[in-house]
Amino acid sequence: MSSAPDDVLQLLRQRGQAPDPDALRSLMRGVAAAPEGLAGPEWVELVAPTADPVLTKALVAWRDILAQTDDGLTASPAPLSRLAALREELKRRGLDGFVIPRADEHQGEYVPRGSQRLAWLTGFSGSAGLAIVLADRAAIFVDGRYTLAVQAQVDTSAFVPHQIPEQSPDAWIAANLSKGGRLGFDPWLQTVDGHDRFARACERAGGTFVPVDSNPVDAIWPGRPPAPLAPVQPHPDEFAGESSESKRQRIGTTVKAKGADVALITAPDSIAWLLNVRGGDVPRTPFALGFALLHADGHVDLYMDRRKVPARTLAWLGNAVTLAPPEELGAALDMLGKIGKRVLVETATVPVWAADRLQAAGVSLVRDADPVALPKACKNPIELEGIRNAHRRDGVAISRFLEWLASESTRRPLREIEVSERLQALRQETGKLRDLSFDTISGAGPNGAIVHYHASTATERILEPGSLYLVDSGGQYRDGTTDITRTVAIGTPTPEMRDRFTRVLKGHIALAMARFPVGTTGSQLDALARYALWQVGLDYDHGTGHGVGAYLSVHEGPHRISKVASSVALQPGMIVSNEPGYYKTGAYGIRIENLVAVREAVIEGADRRYLEFETLTLAPIDLACIEVSLLTDAERQWLNDYHRRVRQVVGPQLDDGSRAWLEHATQPL
Amino acid sequence: MSSAPDDVLQLLRQRGQAPDPDALRSLMRGVAAAPEGLAGPEWVELVAPTADPVLTKALVAWRDILAQTDDGLTASPAPLSRLAALREELKRRGLDGFVIPRADEHQGEYVPRGSQRLAWLTGFSGSAGLAIVLADRAAIFVDGRYTLAVQAQVDTSAFVPHQIPEQSPDAWIAANLSKGGRLGFDPWLQTVDGHDRFARACERAGGTFVPVDSNPVDAIWPGRPPAPLAPVQPHPDEFAGESSESKRQRIGTTVKAKGADVALITAPDSIAWLLNVRGGDVPRTPFALGFALLHADGHVDLYMDRRKVPARTLAWLGNAVTLAPPEELGAALDMLGKIGKRVLVETATVPVWAADRLQAAGVSLVRDADPVALPKACKNPIELEGIRNAHRRDGVAISRFLEWLASESTRRPLREIEVSERLQALRQETGKLRDLSFDTISGAGPNGAIVHYHASTATERILEPGSLYLVDSGGQYRDGTTDITRTVAIGTPTPEMRDRFTRVLKGHIALAMARFPVGTTGSQLDALARYALWQVGLDYDHGTGHGVGAYLSVHEGPHRISKVASSVALQPGMIVSNEPGYYKTGAYGIRIENLVAVREAVIEGADRRYLEFETLTLAPIDLACIEVSLLTDAERQWLNDYHRRVRQVVGPQLDDGSRAWLEHATQPL
């Protein structure tokens, strides 16, 4: 293929643009490496700021062709020739092994296709994992969620699967690396904390942990996609609620107070929130990949590919934000050393590459949490109002969906994928949906018991009478990110299902009603959501709640509600999910998830400041699944009050038929 | 006074003993420095193994005289001449300041009189605190429990009070020590962890933190008591349930597994449990002060004053335990270095003196928790049966006490001290009481709201109609240690009191009924006990539960139930208190405390191993304080079941009158 299609070049020339064909193709390959989303081809702005429909259509057609180019990522298991080629490459470089983590430079939940080295090399597509390749053996490490997937996706004769944390990569390295062995790693992909563990393991084996200049996987990956290029757009004050200027000043002061002059920010959601911009480089999450240096005086050096930043966004960023190519980050870190600056880094996420470069430049590091994470988590009143609006809107889509499901499932057999597509379509009918906030989990019967289930034509089941159907889904709206799980009885549920559902609901309500003193962490509250299940010897193997961004990541920190000890107290404005569940393998899954916001509790005579949760999500909880005798009066009251709110807020937005169904679905118990 | 009274010398000589008068006086001064306890003058064995009543009486009389000798500890506030003398002494030694912690070498809750340097110097008698003396200023640091006490007991013109943790000694040192200043400390009293914090603070001030060879306070303290000498007695297998041999072998293996050859044990309760002996060197806690080196092969070198170890105990210890004078510990540590041993130390409690000596000797330190703490916390079946017996016995005393209180308080005004004395007398009537397990907290009305209240003739109140009376007490029996709090209405309680009492009770019951998966920590359960209070904006500022020893410390680790994050999971056999409370300053205090034991929960169909609590304490909870409408059916059921157990176990041990009262006090709701 030529570097750019003639029709596109001609259309551009007709409109007075004279693009360099190679540069244009490079730009379009970046565009094609970004996910498509549901908001239309806004990326056209990057190619032609004022494209008409004809040009747009031609560009979209080209993008679609580029996006279909085989990058080798769909091969599962991956051909063993890749492993052989990597071993050849390692030998050439004088390395005895190499570590291939799932993570990219930003240590986020999603990584762009060109960074999915673990998936390309092994076929494993899970969201966490790690392979280690030695000359004569290789291992892949995944957690309990993926023990089945790894068997299905990976050639386990070549990559021996290990389950973390029971079997640790550290121990494997210590046992398998030969004395004097050189185990390579990509310092962009290894965090400082992670590196130190692995380096010690190499030491125990009598070997060394060796950084490479360039990733050997990239050298042997033909058709590897370039970095994604999705347009970076302003996130206006009407949603952000605080100017970037104000945020930068405020957090610059924090950086100063921590004893640093500059903070290196590597989390793209932190950058998006700090600069009031949104992007689209990875699926389901509206941020742009890049790095930032936040100076104590509030100015920011942003390291990001200029091609994805339209002129209007450059203007929006203002003159206290300078834009530079990512390749210049290294020189900037060197300069910080020359002028004697102290730099704050978060060792749990910062790449070894950056920390080493800083230390080589003589910079003293201040090790602390990403200073943006906590302010970002505490939503301001404008953000909160946007989030409430997003939930009111989302609640209409969910309620219409539940009504459709209730009636349609009595008429014909429904399958998981068509059901989740129906839900997406109803969300799109709001006219405001930018994207889903994650891939919908649509699980009928036994599939509902698989916590991270993803329906495919091979696995999907029919929603059968007498079964439970679990649907966990969410939307990205400019004013907020939603995440809701409902579990619905198809036909008549068994008494056991109702008992379990009601215990999950009791946990949900205990948390929803909880008031707690300032200073309380999510770890302290977690047991409230499990107590009713624990009493009958049941539990669920996931956290009870995760933070949620404001039109950002559906999973964000630094707070959470889980068994794992946390030092981060819940604070007013934090959004967190309330999602206890119960899963009976091979039978059914139950989860009841609402998002809640932490707010001040107004309690007369309180002995100190107390907080409580405001429930944001508005959609019926299936009354058919509830065993009323298990509820206390207070719990029943909470449910009735909640359902009244749903009726009052969602009802007026429905047509008469749907409203009648909602009245019925939310009737008081 | 001569070195020993003539009558005693004569009586001893008549019985064929020819004691050296000076040695005898020294021994008796040590005896007099130990607390008296309630078990009689068992220490006579140390002087005359077969003393008759005449000799015993003479020795007891002498001891009483010695015990009354003025050691300066009752002066409150302490005369400022002491501070002046200390400053003089520091100057003489070339020091610019000195740190005086409340702790002794063992970092325990109780310290012997001769180690109460902080109390002698300042007058402060609290169980935690620290003074720092510089040439021109001095400060005393106490926590929130003692902010009132420090004002009452200390001359605050000389020692400026500071509240920890808000105002830290580290910050004070950094701000007040002069550049080049030498701040002295006693390396026996400073832990490794504590030392490092202070040393950094001195560094920040441009000064140094300097260990001293001998404590300068001791040099200026006339009449300072010697180390206590209470007899060390065998703790037989019928109570211990496992031979010392077996314990030493088992924990020696742990020490090996941690990568060490020897563990240095500095906690006297660990030593007592490991060697199956009990002592009486500090109040309310039956252990002997000393140090031990536990070798991986199970043998122990015990560093303890031989004068308090009778021959029968030496025989009981057996030949795998060698006894040496405490002064020889240093040489032993040196030897460990010479022969290349690795030594496990717990840096949170080990004296800097020992860690420095080990490191100077070339020993590599393995930093880990005291290896005895966890096995000691997990009681074996024999210990548990003993503990159950102790609680059955204690429950009789408590029930008789509550009956007496119910009738007597309607007849005449009762005062706090006489009431607690009555309780002690009833415990002594069991014929098995060795000591109280701590000083009884007997608080009427507003005094009940002072969490660590100690009644004195100056502070005690009358138990008035319409008030609440709180009594927190416990006994030391050879088969177990008890700790119970009951809150009783005198006359008719107000609706508010009943509301608060019922919420505390709901928290108590939530914990008592809880089942939880293996791996759960006390921090995860803590909120269950607070939830009902939190809902109305109330809380209590103490932990919910502490570990309890088996005829040992009433407060022991490593587990607890509290807001503070813990990494120690609850395990079968652990004893822990369940003691939520509520305190209205100036009005009343409420606490409901039972001890519980962790045990396996038998649940059909459980998805993993679950644990639950067995309630050990058996005594009525005041029905007059309960607002029944606030209880759920399950809570009411729990209370009725508990009270039925109390009736069944305690009832048959009472006389007819008391049994009738108990029937009434435990009637079903």
Side-chain angles (χ1 to χ4, degrees):
Chain A
M1 190 204 283
S2 74
S3 61
D6 289 341
D7 63 332
V8 171
L9 288 173
Q10 194 179 337
L11 286 168
L12 282 168
R13 286 195 203 100
Q14 285 168 357
R15 283 151 183 85
Q17 285 188 248
D20 168 68
D22 289 333
L24 179 61
R25 180 180 161 81
S26 168
L27 170 61
M28 283 296 293
R29 282 196 71 219
V31 165
E36 210 171 355
L38 300 172
E42 295 177 344
W43 52 265
V44 168
E45 178 183 16
L46 302 179
V47 184
T50 58
D52 53 286
V54 174
L55 175 58
T56 297
K57 194 175 164 198
L59 287 169
V60 168
W62 185 21
R63 183 220 170 263
D64 290 348
I65 291 165
L66 289 171
Q68 284 156 28
T69 304
D70 182 26
D71 52 22
L73 275 171
T74 50
S76 161
L80 287 186
S81 56
R82 295 179 186 174
L83 177 58
L86 176 61
R87 283 181 166 144
E88 205 50 47
E89 178 69 17
L90 294 178
K91 202 169 158 189
R92 206 180 60 73
R93 298 190 184 197
L95 292 172
D96 299 296
F98 196 68
V99 174
I100 304 98
R102 191 266 180 178
D104 72 358
E105 296 84 336
H106 308 282
Q107 303 292 327
E109 185 170 348
Y110 292 101
V111 300
R113 294 181 72 84
S115 298
Q116 292 184 25
R117 299 175 182 94
L118 180 64
W120 178 81
L121 182 69
T122 67
F124 175 70
S125 69
S127 69
L130 173 91
I132 306 177
V133 171
L134 297 178
D136 61 347
R137 71 198 72 176
I140 183 164
F141 298 84
V142 300
D143 63 44
R145 292 174 293 172
Y146 294 118
T147 42
L148 293 178
V150 79
Q151 294 289 347
Q153 297 180 331
V154 176
D155 185 334
T156 54
S157 71
F159 293 92
V160 179
H162 292 73
Q163 187 173 332
I164 45 180
E166 293 79 9
Q167 303 173 296
S168 80
D170 319 20
W172 193 89
I173 292 169
N176 290 280
L177 185 65
S178 56
K179 208 170 154 72
R182 290 163 49 80
L183 181 63
F185 72 97
D186 184 337
W188 276 104
L189 310 183
Q190 207 73 37
T191 66
V192 169
D193 289 352
H195 168 271
D196 291 353
R197 277 196 307 278
F198 284 9
R200 274 196 298 274
C202 289
E203 250 176 55
R204 286 209 298 279
T208 48
F209 198 43
V210 185
V212 298
D213 286 335
S214 67
N215 197 304
V217 174
D218 301 356
I220 58 160
W221 181 353
R224 174 173 168 256
L229 294 172
V232 182
Q233 305 183 351
H235 187 60
D237 289 4
E238 63 178 294
F239 301 125
E242 181 182 6
S243 70
S244 170
E245 167 74 18
S246 165
K247 291 176 178 177
R248 287 183 277 105
Q249 291 291 343
R250 168 158 89 88
I251 300 170
T253 306
T254 308
V255 171
K256 190 88 204 161
K258 298 279 188 189
D261 304 301
V262 185
L264 171 60
I265 313 290
T266 64
D269 59 339
S270 288
I271 296 172
W273 181 88
L274 182 67
L275 301 182
N276 284 347
V277 292
R278 295 296 185 266
D281 286 341
V282 299
R284 309 304 191 198
T285 316
F287 57 55
L289 299 175
F291 299 93
L293 291 171
L294 167 63
H295 297 258
D297 69 0
H299 88 264
V300 160
D301 304 318
L302 177 62
Y303 297 87
M304 191 174 275
D305 194 321
R306 182 174 288 260
R307 293 176 297 172
K308 65 182 173 190
V309 187
R312 63 182 181 113
T313 304
L314 263 185
W316 167 254
L317 288 169
N319 57 15
V321 178
T322 60
L323 184 63
E327 304 78 54
E328 292 181 11
L329 176 62
L333 300 185
D334 297 343
M335 181 56 72
L336 292 176
K338 278 211 186 96
I339 56 180
K341 298 291 188 189
R342 288 156 304 167
V343 179
L344 188 155
V345 296
E346 179 177 272
T347 55
T349 54
V350 74
V352 164
W353 181 90
D356 281 358
R357 184 99 179 209
L358 284 165
Q359 289 185 302
V363 169
S364 28
L365 298 185
V366 174
R367 291 148 191 266
D368 209 291
D370 175 345
V372 179
L374 185 60
K376 170 166 64 64
C378 299
K379 274 67 183 173
N380 62 47
I382 305 278
E383 286 175 317
L384 285 169
E385 198 41 46
I387 290 164
R388 286 188 198 101
N389 285 333
H391 279 91
R392 289 182 195 119
R393 184 184 311 126
D394 207 57
V396 172
I398 293 281
S399 295
R400 293 180 62 199
F401 166 76
L402 291 173
E403 181 213 352
W404 171 84
L405 184 63
S407 72
E408 199 72 7
S409 65
T410 60
R411 290 197 199 111
R412 63 183 177 93
L414 297 172
R415 300 185 79 89
E416 291 166 358
I417 295 177
E418 69 166 310
V419 172
S420 66
E421 282 172 350
R422 176 75 185 190
L423 174 55
Q424 178 175 323
L426 288 166
R427 276 205 169 93
Q428 287 181 282
E429 283 183 22
T430 64
K432 303 266 189 178
L433 189 71
R434 306 274 308 160
D435 200 350
L436 302 184
S437 61
F438 58 97
D439 291 342
T440 299
I441 297 172
S442 171
N447 285 343
I450 302 168
V451 172
H452 291 85
Y453 178 65
H454 180 76
S456 69
T457 50
T459 63
E460 69 168 338
R461 303 178 65 100
I462 287 170
L463 280 57
E464 285 170 0
S467 76
L468 295 181
Y469 169 68
L470 181 154
V471 56
D472 187 353
S473 69
Q476 289 285 10
Y477 305 95
R478 278 207 194 277
D479 49 5
T481 302
T482 68
D483 183 1
I484 171 174
T485 309
R486 287 294 181 267
T487 305
V488 179
I490 307 298
T492 306
T494 66
E496 182 192 278
M497 290 171 182
R498 296 171 69 219
D499 176 273
R500 303 304 184 250
F501 185 96
T502 309
R503 289 177 187 279
V504 173
L505 179 61
K506 285 168 79 77
H508 182 96
I509 295 174
L511 209 50
M513 293 200 303
R515 291 164 150 183
F516 47 89
V518 163
T520 302
T521 68
S523 326
Q524 290 176 254
L525 300 183
D526 179 74
L528 299 174
R530 301 181 192 268
Y531 190 81
L533 284 166
W534 283 355
Q535 294 309 89
V536 292
L538 303 174
D539 199 358
Y540 50 95
D541 287 323
H542 58 71
T544 299
H546 55 81
V548 178
Y551 186 41
L552 264 179
S553 299
V554 76
H555 298 139
E556 74 169 19
H559 59 295
R560 58 178 167 179
I561 301 176
S562 97
K563 290 183 182 183
V564 182
S566 164
S567 60
V568 180
L570 295 170
Q571 294 176 40
M574 284 179 166
I575 309 290
V576 67
S577 66
N578 172 0
E579 52 175 316
Y582 170 69
Y583 310 93
K584 185 170 182 175
T585 305
Y588 57 87
I590 296 165
R591 187 159 63 248
I592 304 172
E593 177 187 24
N594 284 344
L595 297 193
V596 300
V598 181
R599 70 177 173 201
E600 300 278 346
V602 182
I603 313 176
E604 204 187 338
D607 61 3
R608 66 202 77 193
R609 278 177 62 211
Y610 281 77
L611 304 175
E612 65 183 6
F613 296 122
E614 170 193 357
T615 293
L616 301 165
T617 304
L618 293 167
I621 291 168
D622 192 356
L623 297 176
C625 293
I626 297 174
E627 173 52 51
V628 185
S629 69
L630 284 178
L631 295 181
T632 66
D633 291 349
E635 289 164 346
R636 210 164 36 78
Q637 192 58 49
W638 181 90
L639 185 70
N640 290 341
D641 289 348
Y642 175 68
H643 273 156
R644 196 183 57 239
R645 265 187 72 210
V646 173
R647 270 199 313 281
Q648 288 172 347
V649 177
V650 173
Q653 303 181 69
L654 300 177
D655 63 25
D656 289 352
S658 296
R659 195 160 52 244
W661 174 84
L662 187 69
E663 295 282 339
H664 177 75
T666 60
Q667 64 189 315
L669 286 183
Chain B
M1 191 202 284
S2 74
S3 61
D6 288 342
D7 61 332
V8 170
L9 288 173
Q10 191 179 340
L11 286 168
L12 283 167
R13 286 195 202 104
Q14 284 169 355
R15 283 151 183 82
Q17 285 187 249
D20 169 67
D22 288 333
L24 178 61
R25 180 179 161 83
S26 168
L27 169 62
M28 283 296 293
R29 282 195 71 220
V31 165
E36 208 171 356
L38 300 173
E42 295 178 344
W43 52 265
V44 168
E45 178 183 15
L46 301 179
V47 184
T50 54
D52 54 287
V54 173
L55 174 57
T56 298
K57 195 178 164 196
L59 287 169
V60 168
W62 185 19
R63 183 218 170 263
D64 290 349
I65 290 166
L66 289 170
Q68 284 157 29
T69 304
D70 183 27
D71 51 22
L73 274 171
T74 49
S76 161
L80 287 185
S81 57
R82 295 178 185 175
L83 177 58
L86 176 61
R87 283 180 167 144
E88 205 49 46
E89 177 70 16
L90 294 178
K91 204 169 156 189
R92 207 180 58 75
R93 298 187 184 198
L95 292 171
D96 299 297
F98 196 68
V99 174
I100 305 97
R102 191 265 179 179
D104 71 357
E105 295 85 336
H106 307 283
Q107 303 292 324
E109 186 171 346
Y110 292 100
V111 300
R113 295 183 72 85
S115 298
Q116 292 184 26
R117 298 176 183 93
L118 180 65
W120 179 80
L121 183 68
T122 68
F124 175 69
S125 68
S127 69
L130 174 90
I132 307 177
V133 171
L134 297 178
D136 61 346
R137 71 199 73 177
I140 183 163
F141 298 83
V142 300
D143 63 44
R145 290 175 293 173
Y146 294 117
T147 42
L148 292 180
V150 79
Q151 294 290 347
Q153 298 180 331
V154 176
D155 184 334
T156 55
S157 71
F159 294 92
V160 179
H162 291 74
Q163 187 174 331
I164 47 179
E166 293 78 9
Q167 302 173 297
S168 79
D170 318 21
W172 192 90
I173 291 170
N176 289 281
L177 185 64
S178 56
K179 208 170 152 76
R182 291 163 49 81
L183 181 63
F185 70 97
D186 183 339
W188 275 105
L189 310 183
Q190 207 72 36
T191 67
V192 169
D193 289 354
H195 167 270
D196 291 355
R197 279 196 307 278
F198 284 8
R200 276 195 298 273
C202 289
E203 252 176 55
R204 285 209 299 279
T208 46
F209 198 43
V210 185
V212 297
D213 286 334
S214 67
N215 198 304
V217 174
D218 301 356
I220 58 158
W221 181 351
R224 175 174 167 255
L229 294 172
V232 182
Q233 304 183 351
H235 187 59
D237 289 5
E238 62 177 296
F239 300 127
E242 182 183 6
S243 70
S244 170
E245 167 76 19
S246 164
K247 292 176 179 178
R248 287 184 277 106
Q249 290 291 342
R250 168 157 91 87
I251 300 170
T253 307
T254 309
V255 170
K256 190 89 206 161
K258 298 280 188 188
D261 303 302
V262 184
L264 171 59
I265 313 290
T266 64
D269 58 339
S270 288
I271 296 172
W273 181 87
L274 182 67
L275 301 182
N276 284 345
V277 292
R278 295 296 185 266
D281 286 341
V282 299
R284 309 305 192 196
T285 317
F287 58 53
L289 299 176
F291 298 95
L293 291 171
L294 168 63
H295 297 258
D297 68 1
H299 87 264
V300 160
D301 303 318
L302 176 62
Y303 297 87
M304 190 173 275
D305 193 320
R306 182 175 286 260
R307 292 178 297 170
K308 65 183 172 189
V309 187
R312 61 184 182 113
T313 305
L314 262 185
W316 167 254
L317 288 170
N319 57 15
V321 178
T322 59
L323 183 64
E327 303 79 53
E328 292 181 13
L329 176 62
L333 300 185
D334 297 343
M335 181 56 72
L336 292 175
K338 279 214 186 94
I339 56 179
K341 298 292 186 185
R342 288 156 303 168
V343 178
L344 188 156
V345 295
E346 179 177 272
T347 55
T349 53
V350 74
V352 165
W353 181 90
D356 281 358
R357 183 100 180 210
L358 284 165
Q359 288 185 305
V363 168
S364 28
L365 298 185
V366 174
R367 290 149 191 266
D368 210 289
D370 175 345
V372 179
L374 185 60
K376 170 165 66 64
C378 299
K379 274 66 180 173
N380 63 46
I382 303 279
E383 285 175 318
L384 285 169
E385 199 41 45
I387 289 164
R388 286 188 197 100
N389 285 333
H391 279 91
R392 288 180 196 122
R393 183 184 312 127
D394 207 55
V396 172
I398 294 281
S399 295
R400 292 180 64 200
F401 166 75
L402 291 173
E403 181 214 352
W404 171 84
L405 184 62
S407 70
E408 199 71 6
S409 64
T410 61
R411 287 196 200 114
R412 65 184 177 92
L414 296 171
R415 302 186 77 90
E416 291 166 357
I417 295 177
E418 70 166 308
V419 172
S420 66
E421 282 173 350
R422 176 74 184 191
L423 174 55
Q424 177 175 322
L426 288 165
R427 275 204 170 94
Q428 287 181 282
E429 284 184 21
T430 65
K432 303 264 189 177
L433 188 72
R434 305 275 307 160
D435 200 350
L436 302 183
S437 61
F438 58 98
D439 289 342
T440 298
I441 297 173
S442 172
N447 284 344
I450 303 168
V451 172
H452 291 84
Y453 177 65
H454 180 76
S456 70
T457 49
T459 63
E460 70 169 336
R461 302 179 65 99
I462 287 170
L463 281 57
E464 284 171 0
S467 75
L468 295 180
Y469 169 68
L470 182 154
V471 56
D472 186 353
S473 69
Q476 291 284 9
Y477 305 94
R478 279 207 194 276
D479 49 5
T481 302
T482 68
D483 182 1
I484 172 174
T485 310
R486 286 295 181 269
T487 305
V488 179
I490 306 299
T492 307
T494 66
E496 182 191 279
M497 290 172 182
R498 295 171 69 219
D499 177 273
R500 303 305 185 249
F501 185 97
T502 309
R503 289 177 187 280
V504 173
L505 179 61
K506 285 169 79 78
H508 182 96
I509 295 174
L511 209 51
M513 293 200 306
R515 291 164 149 183
F516 46 90
V518 164
T520 303
T521 67
S523 326
Q524 290 175 254
L525 300 183
D526 179 73
L528 299 173
R530 301 182 192 267
Y531 190 80
L533 284 166
W534 282 355
Q535 293 309 91
V536 292
L538 303 174
D539 198 359
Y540 50 95
D541 287 323
H542 58 72
T544 300
H546 55 82
V548 178
Y551 187 42
L552 264 179
S553 298
V554 76
H555 297 138
E556 73 169 18
H559 59 295
R560 58 176 168 183
I561 301 176
S562 97
K563 291 183 179 183
V564 182
S566 163
S567 60
V568 180
L570 294 170
Q571 294 177 39
M574 283 178 167
I575 309 290
V576 66
S577 66
N578 172 0
E579 50 176 315
Y582 169 68
Y583 310 92
K584 185 168 182 177
T585 305
Y588 57 86
I590 296 165
R591 186 158 66 248
I592 304 172
E593 177 187 25
N594 285 343
L595 297 193
V596 300
V598 181
R599 69 176 175 202
E600 301 277 346
V602 181
I603 312 177
E604 204 187 339
D607 62 2
R608 67 202 74 193
R609 276 177 64 210
Y610 280 77
L611 303 175
E612 65 183 7
F613 295 121
E614 169 193 358
T615 292
L616 302 165
T617 304
L618 294 167
I621 291 168
D622 192 358
L623 298 176
C625 292
I626 297 174
E627 173 52 52
V628 184
S629 69
L630 285 177
L631 295 181
T632 66
D633 291 349
E635 289 164 346
R636 210 163 35 79
Q637 192 57 52
W638 181 90
L639 185 70
N640 290 340
D641 289 348
Y642 175 68
H643 272 156
R644 195 183 55 241
R645 264 186 73 210
V646 173
R647 269 199 313 280
Q648 288 172 347
V649 177
V650 174
Q653 302 181 70
L654 300 177
D655 62 27
D656 289 352
S658 297
R659 194 159 54 245
W661 174 85
L662 187 69
E663 294 282 339
H664 178 74
T666 60
Q667 66 189 317
L669 286 184

